Amino acid sequence: MSQSRLRSIQARLLVPIAARSIRWPPVPACGALGFFIVYAGLHERGQIGNAHVPFAAVALCLSAAFVLDDPSAETVGGTPTPLLLRRGVRMAVQLPALLALWGAILAYAGLEQINGAMWIEFTGMLALTLALAAIGSRFVGDERAGVFAAPALLIVLAASAFVSPRWRPFPLDPIGSGRFDLSGRWTIAFAASLVVFVIAGRDPARANPLRRMAFGLLRHRVVATTTAPEAVR
């Protein structure tokens, strides 16, 4: 059996397990909060609705912070199924609901002019949240990654707000009307977060090739230094 065929079978078997173990309550709760934020923005005097939409994106991403929380992490940690595959299945089960909620929020807000930019911002923020969850699983465990990722996301976004608009990495509101200001920053954030997610999602027991090369080089130098005096004798 080929490796790809084996992985597809494993993924199908993991779907019902992931659907039962995912923490679903934060999704509708944060979705309702997102709709309320946009509703309040649309009905607030002297304000425009799209000023509140990024905060609805933050609310949805807070629910995504718990997607990697796996109560059975210790049990399945020793199985041959790769960690990235298990996490990929969990994301494939939950993220469509978040994307549907975000699409409904944008339709309700009526942001046809910057609809594409808001989608890029949401996907970039979502990738940032998942990267923080992957990092958190390294420190607090796979069962409580969301406890780390949710406040970390708020801290990162708050810290970004204090950076000057020209260098702000994660702007909630578009800095300008140019393509880079509308979507370029969050596109870079999406790509960087994806790289971090993959690196942090490596199996802990898997050998690191860079570490193996460094260990081999160090071992070679130690052997060379210990055999040199014997060669002189």
Side-chain angles (χ1 to χ4, degrees), residues 70-96:
D70 189 359
S72 61
E74 295 184 359
T75 304
V76 301
T79 61
T81 306
L83 179 60
L84 281 176
L85 177 61
R86 299 200 304 268
R87 290 180 173 177
V89 171
R90 298 182 68 85
M91 290 188 298
V93 172
Q94 188 189 48
L95 294 189

Side-chain angles (χ1 to χ4, degrees), residues 14-26 66-73 76 86 89-90 93-94 142-143:
L14 287 172
V15 168
I17 300 175
R20 290 193 300 267
S21 61
I22 286 177
R23 297 181 179 179
W24 290 104
F66 300 91
V67 68
L68 301 185
D69 289 5
D70 189 359
S72 61
V76 301
R86 299 200 304 268
V89 171
R90 298 182 68 85
V93 172
Q94 188 189 48
D142 290 332
E143 302 89 347

Side-chain angles (χ1 to χ4, degrees), residues 151-192:
L153 175 65
L154 297 178
I155 293 173
V156 169
L157 294 178
S160 174
F162 287 97
V163 181
S164 63
R166 181 179 180 183
W167 303 104
R168 188 170 300 167
F170 310 114
L172 292 181
D173 296 322
I175 303 299
S177 58
R179 178 174 298 181
F180 179 78
D181 293 328
L182 287 175
S183 58
R185 301 171 193 264
W186 281 109
T187 301
I188 296 174
F190 175 83

